[in-house]
Amino acid sequence: MEKKPRKRGLTIWGTPKTPRTVNFATKTTPEFDETIRDHAKKGKCMITEMLDKYQTAYMEKLEHEKAEKKLTKELREKGNVKCPYCSQMIYSG
């Protein structure tokens, strides 16, 4: 039996799906919409690129918080310790 050529998946509009992009629809507050559009305009980029930058910044923040939590009690008691993630000095209080 002869195999039929495989058809690419179609979107609801009848256009072929590609692995490069996907549709992402969401509802936001007017304030967030205004903010992200302003940031995108100032950065001379598209809103999707701004969302990518927001995601990157958020992931970096999470990694930094993880690294800070890994500092043991002994290191904190020493006083001035460098954060292993960002190399900033952390002062114990």
Side-chain angles (χ1 to χ4, degrees):
M1 186 170 187
E2 196 175 311
K3 285 187 177 181
K4 292 182 181 179
R6 199 169 156 202
K7 292 183 180 178
R8 289 169 76 179
L10 298 178
T11 65
I12 57 173
W13 298 280
T15 56
K17 284 185 179 180
T18 63
R20 295 179 297 157
T21 60
V22 295
N23 291 327
F24 178 74
T26 186
K27 293 182 179 185
T28 65
T29 62
E31 294 83 15
F32 180 78
D33 180 60
E34 184 179 337
T35 301
I36 195 166
R37 288 179 189 276
D38 287 345
H39 288 167
K41 189 175 182 180
K42 287 177 187 172
K44 297 181 182 176
C45 62
M46 295 187 297
I47 292 173
T48 56
E49 292 169 326
M50 240 14 264
L51 288 171
D52 283 340
K53 289 178 183 181
Y54 287 178
Q55 179 189 20
T56 301
Y58 179 72
M59 297 307 286
E60 286 176 0
K61 179 181 180 249
L62 289 180
E63 287 299 316
H64 185 266
E65 288 172 357
K66 263 193 226 177
E68 255 187 351
K69 285 179 183 177
K70 285 184 181 179
L71 291 175
T72 62
K73 186 177 180 182
E74 291 173 19
L75 288 175
R76 290 188 185 271
E77 287 174 355
K78 287 182 182 178
N80 301 337
V81 179
K82 280 191 178 181
C83 173
Y85 185 73
C86 67
S87 300
Q88 288 182 346
M89 294 302 288
I90 298 172
Y91 302 101
S92 61

Coordinates of all heavy atoms in Angstrom, one line a residue:
M1 N 0.8 -1.2 0.0 CA 0.0 0.0 0.0 C 0.9 1.2 0.0 O 1.8 1.3 0.7 CB -0.9 0.0 1.2 CG -1.9 1.1 1.3 SD -3.0 0.7 2.6 CE -4.2 1.9 2.3
E2 N 0.5 2.2 -0.8 CA 1.3 3.4 -1.0 C 1.0 4.4 0.1 O -0.2 4.6 0.4 CB 1.0 4.0 -2.3 CG 2.0 5.0 -2.8 CD 1.7 5.5 -4.2 OE1 1.5 4.6 -5.1 OE2 1.6 6.7 -4.4
K3 N 2.0 5.0 0.7 CA 1.8 6.0 1.8 C 1.3 7.3 1.1 O 1.9 7.7 0.1 CB 3.0 6.2 2.6 CG 3.3 5.2 3.5 CD 4.5 5.6 4.4 CE 4.8 4.5 5.5 NZ 5.9 4.9 6.3
K4 N 0.4 7.9 1.7 CA -0.1 9.2 1.3 C 0.8 10.3 1.9 O 1.3 10.2 3.0 CB -1.5 9.5 1.7 CG -2.5 8.6 1.1 CD -3.9 9.0 1.5 CE -5.0 8.1 0.9 NZ -6.3 8.4 1.3
P5 N 1.1 11.4 1.1 CA 1.9 12.4 1.7 C 1.2 13.0 2.9 O 0.0 13.2 2.9 CB 2.1 13.5 0.6 CG 1.2 13.0 -0.5 CD 0.7 11.7 -0.2
R6 N 2.0 13.3 3.9 CA 1.4 13.8 5.1 C 1.1 15.3 5.0 O 2.0 16.1 4.5 CB 2.4 13.6 6.3 CG 1.8 13.8 7.6 CD 2.8 13.3 8.6 NE 2.4 13.9 9.9 CZ 3.1 14.1 10.9 NH1 4.4 13.7 10.9 NH2 2.7 14.7 12.0
K7 N -0.1 15.7 5.3 CA -0.5 17.1 5.2 C 0.0 17.8 6.5 O -0.1 17.3 7.6 CB -2.0 17.3 5.0 CG -2.4 16.8 3.7 CD -3.9 17.0 3.6 CE -4.4 16.6 2.2 NZ -5.9 16.8 2.1
R8 N 0.4 19.1 6.3 CA 0.7 19.9 7.5 C -0.5 20.3 8.2 O -1.6 20.5 7.6 CB 1.5 21.1 7.1 CG 2.9 20.8 6.6 CD 3.6 22.0 5.9 NE 4.0 23.0 6.9 CZ 4.6 24.1 6.6 NH1 4.9 24.3 5.3 NH2 5.0 24.9 7.5
G9 N -0.5 20.5 9.5 CA -1.6 20.9 10.3 C -2.0 22.3 9.8 O -1.2 23.1 9.4
L10 N -3.3 22.6 9.9 CA -3.8 23.9 9.5 C -4.3 24.6 10.7 O -4.8 24.0 11.7 CB -4.9 23.8 8.5 CG -4.6 23.1 7.1 CD1 -5.8 23.0 6.3 CD2 -3.5 23.9 6.4
T11 N -4.2 25.9 10.7 CA -4.8 26.7 11.7 C -6.3 26.9 11.5 O -6.8 26.4 10.5 CB -4.1 28.1 11.8 OG1 -4.5 28.8 10.6 CG2 -2.6 28.1 11.9
I12 N -7.0 27.5 12.4 CA -8.4 27.7 12.2 C -8.7 28.6 11.0 O -9.8 28.6 10.5 CB -9.1 28.3 13.5 CG1 -8.5 29.6 13.9 CG2 -9.0 27.3 14.6 CD1 -9.2 30.3 15.0
W13 N -7.7 29.3 10.5 CA -7.9 30.2 9.3 C -7.6 29.5 8.1 O -7.7 30.1 7.0 CB -7.1 31.5 9.5 CG -7.5 32.3 10.7 CD1 -8.6 33.1 10.8 CD2 -6.9 32.3 11.9 NE1 -8.7 33.6 12.0 CE2 -7.6 33.1 12.8 CE3 -5.7 31.7 12.4 CZ2 -7.3 33.4 14.1 CZ3 -5.4 31.9 13.8 CH2 -6.2 32.8 14.6
G14 N -7.1 28.3 8.2 CA -6.8 27.5 7.0 C -5.3 27.7 6.5 O -5.0 27.2 5.4
T15 N -4.5 28.4 7.2 CA -3.1 28.6 6.8 C -2.3 27.5 7.5 O -2.6 27.0 8.6 CB -2.6 30.0 7.2 OG1 -2.8 30.1 8.6 CG2 -3.4 31.1 6.5
P16 N -1.2 27.1 6.9 CA -0.4 26.0 7.5 C 0.3 26.5 8.8 O 0.7 27.6 8.9 CB 0.6 25.7 6.4 CG 0.5 26.7 5.4 CD -0.7 27.5 5.6
K17 N 0.4 25.6 9.7 CA 1.1 25.8 11.0 C 2.6 25.7 10.7 O 3.0 24.8 10.0 CB 0.7 24.8 12.1 CG -0.6 25.1 12.7 CD -0.8 24.1 13.8 CE -2.2 24.3 14.5 NZ -2.4 23.3 15.6
T18 N 3.4 26.6 11.3 CA 4.8 26.5 11.3 C 5.3 26.4 12.7 O 4.7 27.0 13.6 CB 5.4 27.7 10.5 OG1 5.2 28.9 11.3 CG2 4.9 27.8 9.1
P19 N 6.5 25.8 12.9 CA 7.0 25.7 14.2 C 7.7 27.0 14.7 O 8.1 27.1 15.8 CB 8.1 24.6 14.1 CG 8.5 24.6 12.7 CD 7.3 25.0 11.9
R20 N 7.8 28.0 13.9 CA 8.5 29.3 14.2 C 7.7 30.1 15.2 O 8.2 30.6 16.2 CB 8.8 30.1 13.0 CG 9.8 29.4 12.0 CD 10.0 30.3 10.8 NE 8.7 30.5 10.1 CZ 8.4 31.5 9.3 NH1 9.3 32.4 9.1 NH2 7.3 31.5 8.7
T21 N 6.4 30.2 15.0 CA 5.6 31.1 15.9 C 4.2 30.4 16.2 O 3.8 29.6 15.4 CB 5.3 32.5 15.2 OG1 4.6 32.2 14.0 CG2 6.6 33.2 14.9
V22 N 3.6 30.8 17.3 CA 2.3 30.4 17.6 C 1.5 31.6 18.0 O 2.1 32.6 18.4 CB 2.3 29.3 18.8 CG1 3.0 28.1 18.4 CG2 2.9 29.9 20.0
N23 N 0.2 31.5 17.8 CA -0.6 32.6 18.3 C -0.8 32.6 19.8 O -0.8 31.6 20.4 CB -2.0 32.5 17.6 CG -2.0 32.7 16.1 OD1 -1.2 33.5 15.7 ND2 -2.9 32.0 15.4
F24 N -0.7 33.8 20.3 CA -0.8 34.0 21.8 C -1.8 35.1 22.1 O -1.4 36.3 21.9 CB 0.5 34.2 22.4 CG 0.6 34.4 23.9 CD1 0.4 33.4 24.7 CD2 0.7 35.7 24.4 CE1 0.4 33.6 26.1 CE2 0.7 35.9 25.7 CZ 0.6 34.9 26.6
A25 N -3.0 34.8 22.4 CA -4.0 35.9 22.7 C -4.2 35.9 24.2 O -4.3 34.9 24.9 CB -5.3 35.6 22.0
T26 N -4.2 37.1 24.8 CA -4.5 37.2 26.2 C -5.2 38.5 26.5 O -5.2 39.4 25.7 CB -3.1 37.1 27.0 OG1 -3.4 37.1 28.4 CG2 -2.2 38.3 26.6
K27 N -5.8 38.6 27.6 CA -6.5 39.8 28.1 C -5.6 40.4 29.2 O -5.1 39.7 30.0 CB -7.9 39.5 28.6 CG -8.8 39.0 27.5 CD -10.2 38.8 28.0 CE -11.1 38.3 26.8 NZ -12.5 38.2 27.2
T28 N -5.4 41.7 29.1 CA -4.6 42.4 30.1 C -5.4 43.6 30.6 O -6.4 44.0 30.0 CB -3.3 42.8 29.5 OG1 -3.5 43.8 28.5 CG2 -2.5 41.7 28.9
T29 N -4.8 44.2 31.6 CA -5.4 45.5 32.1 C -4.9 46.6 31.1 O -3.9 46.4 30.5 CB -4.8 45.8 33.5 OG1 -3.4 45.9 33.4 CG2 -5.2 44.7 34.5
P30 N -5.7 47.6 31.1 CA -5.3 48.7 30.2 C -3.9 49.3 30.6 O -3.2 49.7 29.7 CB -6.4 49.8 30.4 CG -7.6 49.0 30.9 CD -7.0 47.8 31.7
E31 N -3.6 49.3 31.9 CA -2.3 49.8 32.4 C -1.2 48.9 31.8 O -0.1 49.5 31.4 CB -2.3 49.8 33.9 CG -3.2 50.8 34.6 CD -4.7 50.2 34.7 OE1 -4.9 49.0 34.6 OE2 -5.6 51.0 34.9
F32 N -1.3 47.6 31.9 CA -0.3 46.7 31.4 C -0.1 46.9 29.9 O 1.0 47.0 29.3 CB -0.5 45.3 31.7 CG 0.5 44.3 31.1 CD1 1.7 44.2 31.8 CD2 0.3 43.6 30.0 CE1 2.7 43.4 31.3 CE2 1.3 42.8 29.5 CZ 2.5 42.6 30.2
D33 N -1.2 47.0 29.1 CA -1.2 47.2 27.7 C -0.4 48.5 27.4 O 0.5 48.5 26.5 CB -2.6 47.3 27.1 CG -2.6 47.5 25.7 OD1 -2.1 46.7 24.9 OD2 -3.2 48.6 25.2
E34 N -0.7 49.6 28.1 CA -0.1 50.9 27.8 C 1.4 50.8 28.2 O 2.3 51.3 27.4 CB -0.7 52.0 28.7 CG -0.2 53.3 28.4 CD -0.8 54.4 29.3 OE1 -2.0 54.2 29.7 OE2 -0.2 55.4 29.5
T35 N 1.7 50.1 29.3 CA 3.1 50.0 29.7 C 4.0 49.2 28.7 O 5.1 49.6 28.3 CB 3.2 49.3 31.1 OG1 2.5 50.1 32.0 CG2 4.7 49.1 31.5
I36 N 3.5 48.0 28.3 CA 4.2 47.2 27.3 C 4.4 47.9 26.0 O 5.4 47.8 25.3 CB 3.7 45.8 27.2 CG1 4.7 44.9 26.6 CG2 2.4 45.8 26.4 CD1 4.4 43.4 26.7
R37 N 3.4 48.6 25.6 CA 3.5 49.3 24.3 C 4.5 50.5 24.4 O 5.3 50.7 23.4 CB 2.1 49.8 23.8 CG 1.2 48.7 23.4 CD -0.2 49.3 23.0 NE -1.1 48.2 22.7 CZ -1.2 47.5 21.6 NH1 -0.5 47.8 20.6 NH2 -2.1 46.5 21.5
D38 N 4.5 51.2 25.5 CA 5.5 52.2 25.7 C 6.9 51.7 25.7 O 7.8 52.2 25.1 CB 5.2 53.0 27.0 CG 4.0 53.9 26.9 OD1 3.5 54.2 25.8 OD2 3.5 54.3 28.0
H39 N 7.1 50.6 26.4 CA 8.4 49.9 26.5 C 8.9 49.5 25.1 O 10.0 49.6 24.7 CB 8.4 48.8 27.5 CG 8.4 49.2 28.9 ND1 8.1 48.3 29.9 CD2 8.5 50.4 29.5 CE1 8.1 48.9 31.1 NE2 8.4 50.2 30.8
A40 N 7.9 48.9 24.4 CA 8.3 48.4 23.0 C 8.6 49.6 22.1 O 9.6 49.5 21.3 CB 7.1 47.6 22.4
K41 N 7.9 50.6 22.2 CA 8.1 51.8 21.4 C 9.5 52.4 21.7 O 10.3 52.7 20.8 CB 7.0 52.9 21.6 CG 7.1 54.0 20.6 CD 5.9 54.9 20.8 CE 5.9 56.1 19.8 NZ 4.7 56.9 20.0
K42 N 9.8 52.6 23.0 CA 11.1 53.1 23.4 C 12.2 52.2 23.0 O 13.3 52.7 22.7 CB 11.1 53.3 25.0 CG 10.3 54.5 25.4 CD 10.2 54.6 26.9 CE 9.2 55.7 27.3 NZ 9.1 55.7 28.8
G43 N 12.0 50.9 23.1 CA 13.0 49.9 22.7 C 13.1 49.7 21.2 O 13.9 48.9 20.8
K44 N 12.2 50.3 20.5 CA 12.1 50.1 19.0 C 12.1 48.6 18.7 O 12.8 48.1 17.9 CB 13.3 50.8 18.3 CG 13.3 52.3 18.5 CD 14.5 52.9 17.8 CE 14.4 54.4 18.1 NZ 15.6 55.1 17.5
C45 N 11.1 47.9 19.3 CA 10.9 46.5 19.0 C 9.4 46.2 19.1 O 8.6 47.0 19.4 CB 11.7 45.7 20.0 SG 11.2 45.8 21.7
M46 N 9.1 45.0 18.7 CA 7.7 44.5 18.7 C 7.3 44.1 20.2 O 8.2 43.8 21.0 CB 7.6 43.3 17.8 CG 7.8 43.7 16.3 SD 7.4 42.4 15.2 CE 8.5 41.1 15.7
I47 N 6.0 44.1 20.4 CA 5.5 43.7 21.7 C 6.0 42.3 22.1 O 6.3 42.0 23.2 CB 4.0 43.8 21.7 CG1 3.6 45.3 21.7 CG2 3.4 43.2 23.0 CD1 2.1 45.6 21.5
T48 N 6.0 41.4 21.1 CA 6.5 40.0 21.4 C 7.9 40.0 21.8 O 8.3 39.2 22.7 CB 6.3 39.1 20.2 OG1 7.0 39.7 19.1 CG2 4.9 38.9 19.8
E49 N 8.7 40.8 21.3 CA 10.1 40.9 21.7 C 10.2 41.5 23.1 O 11.1 41.1 23.9 CB 11.0 41.8 20.8 CG 11.1 41.2 19.4 CD 11.7 42.2 18.4 OE1 11.4 43.4 18.5 OE2 12.5 41.7 17.5
M50 N 9.3 42.4 23.5 CA 9.3 43.0 24.8 C 8.9 41.8 25.8 O 9.5 41.7 26.9 CB 8.2 44.1 24.9 CG 8.6 45.5 25.3 SD 10.3 46.0 25.3 CE 10.6 45.8 27.0
L51 N 7.9 41.0 25.4 CA 7.5 39.9 26.3 C 8.7 38.9 26.5 O 8.9 38.4 27.6 CB 6.3 39.2 25.7 CG 5.0 39.9 25.8 CD1 3.9 39.2 25.0 CD2 4.5 40.1 27.2
D52 N 9.5 38.7 25.4 CA 10.7 37.8 25.6 C 11.7 38.5 26.6 O 12.3 37.8 27.4 CB 11.4 37.6 24.2 CG 10.6 36.6 23.3 OD1 9.9 35.8 23.9 OD2 10.9 36.7 22.1
K53 N 11.8 39.8 26.5 CA 12.7 40.5 27.4 C 12.2 40.4 28.8 O 13.0 40.2 29.8 CB 12.9 41.9 27.0 CG 13.7 42.1 25.7 CD 13.9 43.5 25.3 CE 14.6 43.6 24.0 NZ 14.8 45.0 23.6
Y54 N 10.9 40.6 29.0 CA 10.3 40.4 30.3 C 10.5 39.0 30.9 O 10.9 38.9 32.1 CB 8.8 40.7 30.3 CG 8.4 42.1 30.1 CD1 7.0 42.4 30.0 CD2 9.3 43.2 30.0 CE1 6.6 43.8 29.8 CE2 8.9 44.5 29.9 CZ 7.5 44.8 29.8 OH 7.1 46.1 29.6
Q55 N 10.4 38.0 30.1 CA 10.5 36.6 30.5 C 12.0 36.4 30.9 O 12.3 35.8 31.9 CB 10.2 35.7 29.4 CG 10.4 34.2 29.8 CD 10.2 33.2 28.7 OE1 10.3 33.6 27.5 NE2 9.9 32.0 29.1
T56 N 12.9 36.9 30.1 CA 14.4 36.7 30.4 C 14.7 37.4 31.8 O 15.4 36.8 32.6 CB 15.2 37.3 29.3 OG1 14.9 36.7 28.1 CG2 16.7 37.2 29.6
A57 N 14.2 38.6 32.0 CA 14.5 39.3 33.2 C 13.9 38.6 34.4 O 14.5 38.4 35.5 CB 13.9 40.7 33.1
Y58 N 12.7 38.0 34.2 CA 12.0 37.3 35.3 C 12.8 36.0 35.6 O 13.0 35.7 36.8 CB 10.6 36.9 34.9 CG 9.9 36.1 35.9 CD1 9.5 36.7 37.1 CD2 9.6 34.8 35.7 CE1 8.8 36.0 38.1 CE2 8.9 34.0 36.7 CZ 8.5 34.6 37.9 OH 7.9 33.9 38.8
M59 N 13.3 35.3 34.6 CA 14.0 34.0 34.8 C 15.4 34.4 35.5 O 15.8 33.6 36.4 CB 14.3 33.3 33.5 CG 13.0 32.8 32.8 SD 11.9 31.8 33.9 CE 12.8 30.3 34.0
E60 N 16.0 35.5 35.1 CA 17.3 35.9 35.8 C 17.0 36.2 37.3 O 17.8 35.9 38.1 CB 17.9 37.1 35.1 CG 18.5 36.7 33.8 CD 19.0 37.9 33.0 OE1 18.9 39.1 33.5 OE2 19.6 37.7 31.9
K61 N 15.9 36.8 37.5 CA 15.5 37.2 38.9 C 15.3 35.9 39.7 O 15.8 35.8 40.9 CB 14.2 38.0 38.9 CG 13.8 38.4 40.3 CD 12.5 39.2 40.3 CE 12.1 39.6 41.7 NZ 10.9 38.9 42.1
L62 N 14.7 34.9 39.2 CA 14.5 33.7 39.9 C 15.8 33.0 40.2 O 16.0 32.4 41.3 CB 13.5 32.7 39.1 CG 12.1 33.1 39.0 CD1 11.3 32.1 38.2 CD2 11.4 33.2 40.4
E63 N 16.7 33.0 39.2 CA 18.0 32.4 39.4 C 18.8 33.1 40.5 O 19.5 32.4 41.3 CB 18.8 32.4 38.1 CG 18.3 31.4 37.0 CD 18.4 29.9 37.5 OE1 19.4 29.5 38.1 OE2 17.4 29.2 37.3
H64 N 18.7 34.4 40.5 CA 19.4 35.2 41.5 C 18.8 34.8 42.9 O 19.6 34.7 43.8 CB 19.2 36.7 41.2 CG 20.0 37.5 42.1 ND1 19.4 38.1 43.3 CD2 21.2 38.0 42.1 CE1 20.3 38.8 43.9 NE2 21.4 38.8 43.2
E65 N 17.5 34.7 43.0 CA 16.9 34.4 44.3 C 17.3 33.0 44.7 O 17.6 32.8 45.9 CB 15.4 34.5 44.2 CG 14.9 35.9 44.1 CD 13.4 36.1 43.9 OE1 12.7 35.0 43.7 OE2 12.9 37.2 43.8
K66 N 17.4 32.1 43.8 CA 17.9 30.7 44.1 C 19.3 30.7 44.7 O 19.6 30.1 45.6 CB 17.8 29.8 42.9 CG 16.6 29.0 42.7 CD 16.8 27.9 41.7 CE 15.7 27.9 40.8 NZ 15.9 26.9 39.7
A67 N 20.1 31.5 44.0 CA 21.5 31.6 44.4 C 21.7 32.2 45.8 O 22.5 31.8 46.6 CB 22.3 32.4 43.4
E68 N 20.9 33.2 46.0 CA 20.9 33.9 47.3 C 20.5 32.9 48.4 O 21.1 32.9 49.5 CB 20.0 35.1 47.4 CG 20.7 36.4 47.3 CD 19.8 37.6 47.4 OE1 18.6 37.4 47.5 OE2 20.3 38.7 47.6
K69 N 19.5 32.1 48.2 CA 19.0 31.1 49.2 C 20.1 30.1 49.5 O 20.1 29.5 50.6 CB 17.7 30.5 48.7 CG 16.5 31.4 48.8 CD 15.3 30.7 48.4 CE 14.1 31.6 48.4 NZ 12.9 31.0 47.9
K70 N 21.0 29.8 48.5 CA 22.0 28.8 48.7 C 23.1 29.2 49.6 O 23.9 28.4 50.1 CB 22.6 28.4 47.3 CG 21.7 27.5 46.5 CD 22.3 27.0 45.3 CE 21.4 26.2 44.5 NZ 22.0 25.8 43.2
L71 N 23.2 30.5 49.9 CA 24.2 31.0 50.8 C 23.9 30.4 52.2 O 22.8 30.5 52.7 CB 24.2 32.5 50.9 CG 24.7 33.3 49.7 CD1 24.5 34.8 49.9 CD2 26.1 32.9 49.3
T72 N 24.9 29.8 52.7 CA 24.6 29.1 54.0 C 24.7 30.1 55.1 O 25.1 31.2 55.0 CB 25.7 28.0 54.2 OG1 27.0 28.7 54.3 CG2 25.7 27.0 53.1
K73 N 24.2 29.7 56.3 CA 24.2 30.5 57.4 C 25.6 31.0 57.8 O 25.9 32.1 58.2 CB 23.6 29.8 58.6 CG 23.4 30.6 59.8 CD 22.7 29.8 60.9 CE 22.5 30.7 62.1 NZ 21.9 29.9 63.2
E74 N 26.6 30.1 57.6 CA 28.0 30.4 57.9 C 28.5 31.6 57.1 O 29.2 32.5 57.6 CB 28.9 29.2 57.7 CG 28.7 28.1 58.7 CD 29.5 26.8 58.3 OE1 30.4 27.0 57.5 OE2 29.1 25.7 58.8
L75 N 28.2 31.5 55.8 CA 28.6 32.6 54.9 C 28.0 33.9 55.3 O 28.7 35.0 55.3 CB 28.3 32.3 53.5 CG 29.1 31.2 52.8 CD1 28.6 30.9 51.4 CD2 30.6 31.6 52.7
R76 N 26.7 33.9 55.7 CA 26.1 35.1 56.1 C 26.6 35.7 57.4 O 26.7 36.9 57.6 CB 24.6 34.9 56.2 CG 23.9 34.6 54.9 CD 22.4 34.6 55.0 NE 21.7 34.3 53.8 CZ 21.4 35.2 52.9 NH1 21.6 36.4 53.1 NH2 20.8 34.8 51.8
E77 N 27.1 34.8 58.3 CA 27.6 35.2 59.5 C 29.0 35.9 59.4 O 29.4 36.7 60.2 CB 27.7 34.1 60.5 CG 26.4 33.6 61.0 CD 26.4 32.4 61.9 OE1 27.5 31.8 62.0 OE2 25.4 32.0 62.5
K78 N 29.7 35.6 58.3 CA 31.0 36.2 58.0 C 30.9 37.7 57.8 O 31.9 38.4 57.9 CB 31.7 35.5 56.9 CG 32.2 34.1 57.2 CD 32.9 33.6 56.0 CE 33.3 32.1 56.3 NZ 34.0 31.6 55.1
G79 N 29.8 38.1 57.4 CA 29.6 39.6 57.1 C 29.4 39.9 55.6 O 28.4 39.6 55.1
N80 N 30.5 40.4 55.0 CA 30.4 40.7 53.6 C 30.7 39.5 52.7 O 31.8 39.0 52.7 CB 31.4 41.8 53.3 CG 31.2 43.1 54.1 OD1 30.1 43.3 54.6 ND2 32.2 43.8 54.3
V81 N 29.7 39.1 52.0 CA 29.8 38.0 51.1 C 29.3 38.4 49.7 O 28.4 39.1 49.5 CB 28.9 36.8 51.6 CG1 29.0 35.6 50.7 CG2 29.3 36.5 53.0
K82 N 30.0 37.8 48.7 CA 29.6 38.1 47.3 C 28.5 37.1 46.9 O 28.6 35.9 47.2 CB 30.8 37.9 46.3 CG 31.7 39.1 46.3 CD 32.7 38.9 45.1 CE 33.6 40.2 45.1 NZ 34.5 40.1 44.0
C83 N 27.5 37.7 46.3 CA 26.4 36.8 45.7 C 27.0 36.0 44.6 O 27.7 36.5 43.7 CB 25.3 37.7 45.2 SG 24.0 36.7 44.4
P84 N 26.9 34.7 44.6 CA 27.4 33.8 43.6 C 26.8 34.1 42.2 O 27.4 33.7 41.2 CB 27.2 32.4 44.1 CG 26.0 32.5 45.0 CD 26.1 33.9 45.6
Y85 N 25.7 34.7 42.2 CA 25.0 34.9 40.9 C 25.4 36.2 40.2 O 25.8 36.2 39.1 CB 23.5 34.8 41.0 CG 22.8 34.9 39.7 CD1 22.8 33.8 38.8 CD2 22.1 36.0 39.3 CE1 22.1 33.9 37.6 CE2 21.4 36.1 38.1 CZ 21.5 35.0 37.3 OH 20.9 35.1 36.1
C86 N 25.4 37.3 41.0 CA 25.6 38.6 40.4 C 26.9 39.2 40.9 O 27.3 40.3 40.4 CB 24.5 39.5 40.6 SG 24.3 40.0 42.4
S87 N 27.6 38.6 41.8 CA 28.9 39.1 42.3 C 28.7 40.4 43.1 O 29.7 41.1 43.3 CB 29.9 39.3 41.2 OG 30.2 38.0 40.6
Q88 N 27.5 40.8 43.5 CA 27.4 42.0 44.3 C 27.6 41.6 45.8 O 27.4 40.4 46.2 CB 25.9 42.5 44.2 CG 25.7 43.2 42.9 CD 24.2 43.8 42.9 OE1 23.4 43.4 43.7 NE2 24.0 44.6 41.9
M89 N 28.0 42.5 46.5 CA 28.3 42.3 48.0 C 27.0 42.2 48.7 O 26.1 43.0 48.5 CB 29.2 43.4 48.5 CG 30.6 43.4 48.0 SD 31.5 41.8 48.2 CE 31.8 41.8 49.9
I90 N 26.9 41.2 49.5 CA 25.7 41.0 50.4 C 26.1 41.3 51.8 O 27.1 40.7 52.3 CB 25.1 39.6 50.3 CG1 24.6 39.4 48.8 CG2 23.9 39.5 51.2 CD1 24.2 38.0 48.6
Y91 N 25.5 42.2 52.5 CA 25.8 42.5 53.9 C 24.8 41.9 54.8 O 23.6 42.0 54.6 CB 25.8 44.1 54.1 CG 26.7 44.8 53.1 CD1 26.2 45.4 52.0 CD2 28.1 44.8 53.4 CE1 27.1 46.1 51.1 CE2 28.9 45.5 52.5 CZ 28.4 46.1 51.4 OH 29.3 46.7 50.5
S92 N 25.3 41.2 55.8 CA 24.4 40.6 56.7 C 24.1 41.7 57.8 O 24.9 42.5 58.1 CB 25.1 39.4 57.4 OG 26.2 39.7 58.1
G93 N 22.9 41.7 58.2 CA 22.5 42.7 59.1 C 22.2 42.3 60.5 O 22.2 41.3 61.1

